């Protein structure tokens, strides 16, 4: 990943984790907690693609595993977000721009349900059965509902920031290859093309004048013979 992507992703992940732990987790909503960290990973994955989404998801999940008040094994949520980020990145359009909001909303619902199932499945492998006592179905439904309501306020803004960071005009203007291309194309158009065009235009004008003079001479000679 490029430096601007790493810096932007790190800042967004840290802010999302702080807001989720300090604000959203204290709302005591029924069922699951709105997963702002998941939405951040989804927004970046829809711009960066499957590889970038997997890397961002792993880093965000590992940070959530180590940040207090985490009460589960380290690496559990990192695995979940890594898989979710990879799969969400596969839904990225070729041109990087989405034509409607239907696709991202479907991705959010699928990610909310999939992350809940995957988190519970990994927990079952390590002996954590807390999801069974709470109710897996209610967790999936509440997670999908909360994330779907929060997504329109989070995902578009994150995607816009990611696109702006990728299309940095200073970085593009400072590229040596682009400068060389501009100089070459400018030299061809300003140095060669215009001069050749001027010379061709001048030769054409001289030929036209010579033809006109020849016609006049012919007419004068014809008059004199008469």
């Amino acid at each position: 990943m490029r430096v601007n992507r790493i810096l932007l992703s790190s800042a967004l992940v840290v802010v999302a984790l702080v807001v989720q732990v300090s604000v959203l987790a204290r709302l005591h909503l029924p069922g699951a907690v709105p997963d702002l960290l998941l939405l951040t990973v989804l927004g970046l994955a829809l711009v960066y693609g499957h590889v970038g989404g997997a890397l961002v998801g792993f880093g965000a999940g590992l940070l959530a595993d180590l940040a207090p008040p985490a009460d589960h094994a380290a690496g559990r949520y990192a695995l979940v977000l890594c898989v979710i980020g990879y799969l969400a990145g596969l839904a990225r359009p070729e041109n990087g721009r989405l034509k409607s909001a239907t696709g991202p909303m479907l991705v959010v619902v699928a990610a909310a349900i999939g992350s809940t199932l995957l988190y519970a499945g990994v927990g079952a492998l390590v002996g954590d059965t807390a999801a069974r006592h709470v109710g897996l179905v209610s967790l999936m439904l509440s997670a999908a509902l909360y994330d779907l309501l929060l997504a329109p306020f989070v995902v578009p803004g994150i995607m816009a920031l990611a696109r702006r960071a990728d299309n940095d005009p200073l970085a593009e203007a400072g590229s040596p290859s682009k400068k060389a291309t501009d100089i070459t194309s400018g030299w061809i158009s300003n140095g060669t093309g215009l001069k050749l065009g001027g010379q061709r235009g001048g030769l054409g004008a001289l030929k036209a004048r010579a033809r006109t003079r020849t016609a006049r001479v012919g007419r004068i000679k014809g008059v004199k013979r008469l």
Side-chain angles (χ1 to χ4, degrees), residues 46-47 91-99 159 163 166-167:
L46 289 174
V47 178
R92 175 183 178 271
E94 295 181 358
N95 58 357
R97 296 186 178 276
L98 301 169
K99 297 181 180 180
M159 294 179 67
R163 290 196 189 103
D166 272 358
N167 299 327

Side-chain angles (χ1 to χ4, degrees), residues 9-25 34-38 40 59-70 72 77 81:
S9 302
S10 302
L12 291 175
V13 165
V14 170
V15 171
L17 182 61
V18 171
V19 174
Q20 182 170 333
V21 172
S22 59
V23 178
L24 298 179
D35 201 338
L36 184 61
L37 196 62
L38 174 65
T40 303
L62 186 61
L63 185 62
D65 289 332
L66 300 177
H72 54 268
Y77 201 49
L81 287 187

Side-chain angles (χ1 to χ4, degrees), residues 87-184:
L87 295 178
L90 295 177
R92 175 183 178 271
E94 295 181 358
N95 58 357
R97 296 186 178 276
L98 301 169
K99 297 181 180 180
S100 65
T102 304
M105 292 299 102
L106 293 177
V107 171
V108 169
V109 174
I113 297 175
S115 62
T116 304
L117 287 174
L118 188 58
Y119 186 82
V122 175
L125 293 177
V126 297
D128 185 3
T129 59
R132 296 180 183 178
H133 302 288
V134 177
L136 186 58
V137 177
S138 62
L139 283 177
M140 289 190 299
L141 294 178
S142 58
L145 178 61
Y146 297 152
D147 293 347
L148 190 60
L149 293 176
L150 191 60
F153 304 98
V154 178
V155 176
I158 291 176
M159 294 179 67
L161 288 175
R163 290 196 189 103
R164 178 174 294 184
D166 272 358
N167 299 327
D168 188 359
L170 295 178
E172 293 180 359
S175 176
S177 60
K178 185 172 182 180
K179 285 183 178 180
T181 305
D182 293 341
I183 292 173
T184 304

Side-chain angles (χ1 to χ4, degrees), residues 201-216:
L203 291 175
L206 290 176
K207 290 180 180 180
R209 292 177 182 175
R211 291 174 182 174
T212 304
R213 291 177 181 176
T214 304
R216 290 179 180 177

